[in-house]
Amino acid sequence: MSTAKQREARLEAVADEIRAHKGARCGFEVCETCTQLVPGVGPASASIVVVGEAPGAKEDAAGVPFVGAAGKLLNTLFDEAGIARDDVFITNVVKARPPKNRDPKAPEVAHHWPWLEAQLEIIAPQLLVPLGRHALARFAPDAKIAEVHGTAIEVEGRRLFPLYHPAAALYNGGLRATLVADAQALGRALR
Ligand code: URA
């Protein structure tokens, strides 16, 4: 088996472990009330990993991240950045939908964190794109999204390129233009 195939198999093994967790009765509300856990989508060879917050209702039903309205905008942003979907792995900090889409709680984030670390270790992306302040806080606790969005920052050996969360632009039309400009800057940072 080639190295690329081995990485793919390791990434799939993490996804299997995440999905199997649904039956684990761990006591965490998100894991027990979701329809299914949502590991992420994309190849182990991805050079970019996009990290959202947690699945919403559509993602909970489909088992795939960013398939709803925020996902459509995310696809537009990839186009603006000139990024091919095949070059991206998309996942969330928390792999299970919080009831009524509430913010994930810190213990839930800590509970799911090792899966994200395992995915990042296998993929070893050139660039990590946290979407919104919650995802950013996991990688750069001292950074403020209003100050660092649309720029590359280096934190603990990781190259981050934070963007506002696309869902925020669905409620705040003014943010959409900023997100598009930031996505174009992301495209330039990759060239
Ligand atoms: N918002 C997120 O943060 N993640 C998803 O998968 C969908 C919407």
Side-chain angles (χ1 to χ4, degrees), residues 133 136 143-149 164:
R133 64 192 167 93
L136 176 63
K144 296 202 167 35
I145 189 77
E147 290 169 6
V148 298
H149 70 91
Y164 280 113

PDB file of all heavy atoms in Angstrom, residues 133 136 143-149 164:
ATOM      1  N   ARG A 133     -15.077  33.171  15.113  1.00  0.00           N
ATOM      2  CA  ARG A 133     -14.297  33.363  16.338  1.00  0.00           C
ATOM      3  C   ARG A 133     -14.210  32.106  17.192  1.00  0.00           C
ATOM      4  O   ARG A 133     -13.223  31.882  17.887  1.00  0.00           O
ATOM      5  CB  ARG A 133     -14.844  34.537  17.151  1.00  0.00           C
ATOM      6  CG  ARG A 133     -16.213  34.371  17.671  1.00  0.00           C
ATOM      7  CD  ARG A 133     -16.774  35.690  18.195  1.00  0.00           C
ATOM      8  NE  ARG A 133     -18.195  35.555  18.400  1.00  0.00           N
ATOM      9  CZ  ARG A 133     -18.737  35.206  19.545  1.00  0.00           C
ATOM     10  NH1 ARG A 133     -17.975  34.994  20.592  1.00  0.00           N
ATOM     11  NH2 ARG A 133     -20.042  35.076  19.653  1.00  0.00           N
ATOM     12  N   LEU A 136     -11.526  29.948  15.614  1.00  0.00           N
ATOM     13  CA  LEU A 136     -10.247  30.649  15.787  1.00  0.00           C
ATOM     14  C   LEU A 136      -9.729  30.494  17.217  1.00  0.00           C
ATOM     15  O   LEU A 136      -8.538  30.277  17.440  1.00  0.00           O
ATOM     16  CB  LEU A 136     -10.418  32.137  15.439  1.00  0.00           C
ATOM     17  CG  LEU A 136      -9.188  33.013  15.661  1.00  0.00           C
ATOM     18  CD1 LEU A 136      -8.031  32.590  14.759  1.00  0.00           C
ATOM     19  CD2 LEU A 136      -9.514  34.495  15.428  1.00  0.00           C
ATOM     20  N   ALA A 143      -6.073  35.676  19.681  1.00  0.00           N
ATOM     21  CA  ALA A 143      -6.364  36.455  18.474  1.00  0.00           C
ATOM     22  C   ALA A 143      -7.839  36.859  18.433  1.00  0.00           C
ATOM     23  O   ALA A 143      -8.704  36.151  18.940  1.00  0.00           O
ATOM     24  CB  ALA A 143      -6.012  35.643  17.238  1.00  0.00           C
ATOM     25  N   LYS A 144      -8.080  38.008  17.831  1.00  0.00           N
ATOM     26  CA  LYS A 144      -9.468  38.482  17.667  1.00  0.00           C
ATOM     27  C   LYS A 144      -9.812  38.425  16.182  1.00  0.00           C
ATOM     28  O   LYS A 144      -9.069  38.963  15.351  1.00  0.00           O
ATOM     29  CB  LYS A 144      -9.601  39.910  18.169  1.00  0.00           C
ATOM     30  CG  LYS A 144      -9.350  40.043  19.661  1.00  0.00           C
ATOM     31  CD  LYS A 144      -9.985  41.304  20.212  1.00  0.00           C
ATOM     32  CE  LYS A 144     -10.031  41.312  21.736  1.00  0.00           C
ATOM     33  NZ  LYS A 144      -8.895  40.677  22.402  1.00  0.00           N
ATOM     34  N   ILE A 145     -10.940  37.814  15.857  1.00  0.00           N
ATOM     35  CA  ILE A 145     -11.305  37.623  14.449  1.00  0.00           C
ATOM     36  C   ILE A 145     -11.387  38.963  13.715  1.00  0.00           C
ATOM     37  O   ILE A 145     -10.987  39.073  12.557  1.00  0.00           O
ATOM     38  CB  ILE A 145     -12.617  36.790  14.313  1.00  0.00           C
ATOM     39  CG1 ILE A 145     -12.885  36.404  12.859  1.00  0.00           C
ATOM     40  CG2 ILE A 145     -13.821  37.500  14.889  1.00  0.00           C
ATOM     41  CD1 ILE A 145     -12.065  35.276  12.332  1.00  0.00           C
ATOM     42  N   ALA A 146     -11.845  40.004  14.408  1.00  0.00           N
ATOM     43  CA  ALA A 146     -11.979  41.312  13.739  1.00  0.00           C
ATOM     44  C   ALA A 146     -10.619  41.873  13.338  1.00  0.00           C
ATOM     45  O   ALA A 146     -10.531  42.699  12.433  1.00  0.00           O
ATOM     46  CB  ALA A 146     -12.697  42.290  14.666  1.00  0.00           C
ATOM     47  N   GLU A 147      -9.551  41.407  14.014  1.00  0.00           N
ATOM     48  CA  GLU A 147      -8.209  41.921  13.715  1.00  0.00           C
ATOM     49  C   GLU A 147      -7.432  41.032  12.743  1.00  0.00           C
ATOM     50  O   GLU A 147      -6.591  41.526  11.993  1.00  0.00           O
ATOM     51  CB  GLU A 147      -7.405  42.055  15.025  1.00  0.00           C
ATOM     52  CG  GLU A 147      -7.932  43.176  15.907  1.00  0.00           C
ATOM     53  CD  GLU A 147      -7.340  43.151  17.319  1.00  0.00           C
ATOM     54  OE1 GLU A 147      -6.433  42.330  17.585  1.00  0.00           O
ATOM     55  OE2 GLU A 147      -7.817  43.942  18.153  1.00  0.00           O
ATOM     56  N   VAL A 148      -7.710  39.735  12.755  1.00  0.00           N
ATOM     57  CA  VAL A 148      -6.840  38.832  11.979  1.00  0.00           C
ATOM     58  C   VAL A 148      -7.527  38.201  10.764  1.00  0.00           C
ATOM     59  O   VAL A 148      -6.875  37.484   9.998  1.00  0.00           O
ATOM     60  CB  VAL A 148      -6.257  37.705  12.879  1.00  0.00           C
ATOM     61  CG1 VAL A 148      -5.392  38.277  13.980  1.00  0.00           C
ATOM     62  CG2 VAL A 148      -7.358  36.811  13.442  1.00  0.00           C
ATOM     63  N   HIS A 149      -8.825  38.475  10.569  1.00  0.00           N
ATOM     64  CA  HIS A 149      -9.499  37.865   9.414  1.00  0.00           C
ATOM     65  C   HIS A 149      -8.819  38.314   8.117  1.00  0.00           C
ATOM     66  O   HIS A 149      -8.371  39.454   7.991  1.00  0.00           O
ATOM     67  CB  HIS A 149     -10.988  38.255   9.389  1.00  0.00           C
ATOM     68  CG  HIS A 149     -11.219  39.691   9.050  1.00  0.00           C
ATOM     69  ND1 HIS A 149     -11.409  40.137   7.768  1.00  0.00           N
ATOM     70  CD2 HIS A 149     -11.238  40.800   9.835  1.00  0.00           C
ATOM     71  CE1 HIS A 149     -11.550  41.448   7.774  1.00  0.00           C
ATOM     72  NE2 HIS A 149     -11.448  41.886   9.008  1.00  0.00           N
ATOM     73  N   TYR A 164     -14.064  35.141   8.617  1.00  0.00           N
ATOM     74  CA  TYR A 164     -15.348  35.185   9.317  1.00  0.00           C
ATOM     75  C   TYR A 164     -16.144  33.942   8.952  1.00  0.00           C
ATOM     76  O   TYR A 164     -15.952  33.348   7.887  1.00  0.00           O
ATOM     77  CB  TYR A 164     -16.137  36.433   8.900  1.00  0.00           C
ATOM     78  CG  TYR A 164     -15.692  37.700   9.594  1.00  0.00           C
ATOM     79  CD1 TYR A 164     -15.090  38.729   8.872  1.00  0.00           C
ATOM     80  CD2 TYR A 164     -15.896  37.865  10.957  1.00  0.00           C
ATOM     81  CE1 TYR A 164     -14.685  39.894   9.503  1.00  0.00           C
ATOM     82  CE2 TYR A 164     -15.496  39.033  11.595  1.00  0.00           C
ATOM     83  CZ  TYR A 164     -14.887  40.044  10.868  1.00  0.00           C
ATOM     84  OH  TYR A 164     -14.487  41.182  11.492  1.00  0.00           O
TER      85      TYR A 164
END
